[in-house]
Amino acid sequence: MKKFFMFLAVAGVMAFSANIASAQDEQAAQTAATETVAEAAPMSAADLLNGSGEEVPLHQALKTKFIEGGASFMSLIILCLIIGLALAIERILFLSFSKINTKKLVAKVEEALAQGGIEAAKEVCRSTRGPVASIFYQGLLRYDQGIDVVEKTVVSYGSVQMSEMESGLSWISLFIAIAPSLGFLGTVIGMINAFDAIQAAGDISPNVVAGGMKVALITTVGGLIVAMILQVFYNYILAKIESITIDMEDSSISLVDVLTKYSQK
């Protein structure tokens, strides 16, 4: 339930930021259009070839390309980016909160065992966040059944924690695959529109096919960019999971050693 609310919070913040940015873009576009109408002046042929000399803001250029690429497909691609980023950020936050100093935890558990026994060690694990502490707690719960049972419990519950850390990654990989597919679909539709224009005009001049080709290229680029962005986040999440997994395995061995020493006293 906490992960669900965290995901909703991240998605809401991203959607709110997108709405603010869109409103600012519209206001900037209206201001620019007013200034253009008020200050319009005749341009020479050299000016038309070299441009007006004014730099277009990046966000305004992206908005223009978004409109030129077609609102239907580009909206779906942006939706994949927003949902994918929301899922990725939720996973990154979850994994960041799960990362702890495992050596310090092992030392605390060992100290608690020496001073207060198994119950004190359980209390240390209950008050510590993260999957490593949860694994320790499950192992300590079964200490009275023997060290072999503790070791098997630690291994089994470690797999459960691995599955929990990997939760949501399948959706991110889905959006990584869907985004370029939507771009390629827009490419195909743009090519179809270009050939329809050629058939209707009975001519293959560049002016006839330029519109369809432009839509095709913009949707492809948009889908590939979204896929690359999400792929970077996906690989970063995998790297964090791998790091936490190594800590889990190393600390689990240390816990078994600590409990073995404690049982021999």
Side-chain angles (χ1 to χ4, degrees), residues 96-127:
S96 297
F97 292 143
S98 299
K99 185 75 173 179
I100 62 171
N101 190 336
T102 55
K103 293 182 179 180
K104 187 176 180 180
L105 176 61
V106 173
K108 285 184 177 180
V109 170
E110 188 173 7
E111 182 181 357
L113 284 172
Q115 295 179 356
I118 296 296
E119 292 301 323
K122 288 181 183 179
E123 185 61 31
V124 171
C125 295
R126 277 196 295 263
S127 61

Side-chain angles (χ1 to χ4, degrees), residues 94-95 97-110 118-142 150 153-155 157-158 160-162 164-165 244-255 259:
F94 176 82
L95 295 173
F97 292 143
S98 299
K99 185 75 173 179
I100 62 171
N101 190 336
T102 55
K103 293 182 179 180
K104 187 176 180 180
L105 176 61
V106 173
K108 285 184 177 180
V109 170
E110 188 173 7
I118 296 296
E119 292 301 323
K122 288 181 183 179
E123 185 61 31
V124 171
C125 295
R126 277 196 295 263
S127 61
T128 305
R129 57 180 170 81
V132 177
S134 299
I135 292 173
F136 280 19
Y137 183 76
Q138 294 297 323
L140 291 170
L141 280 176
R142 292 159 180 81
V150 171
T153 300
V154 166
V155 173
Y157 201 71
V160 174
Q161 292 297 318
M162 276 285 297
E164 186 175 352
M165 288 189 295
I244 295 175
T245 302
I246 293 174
D247 289 342
M248 287 168 52
E249 294 175 352
D250 183 55
S251 58
S252 298
I253 296 173
S254 299
L255 176 66
L259 291 178

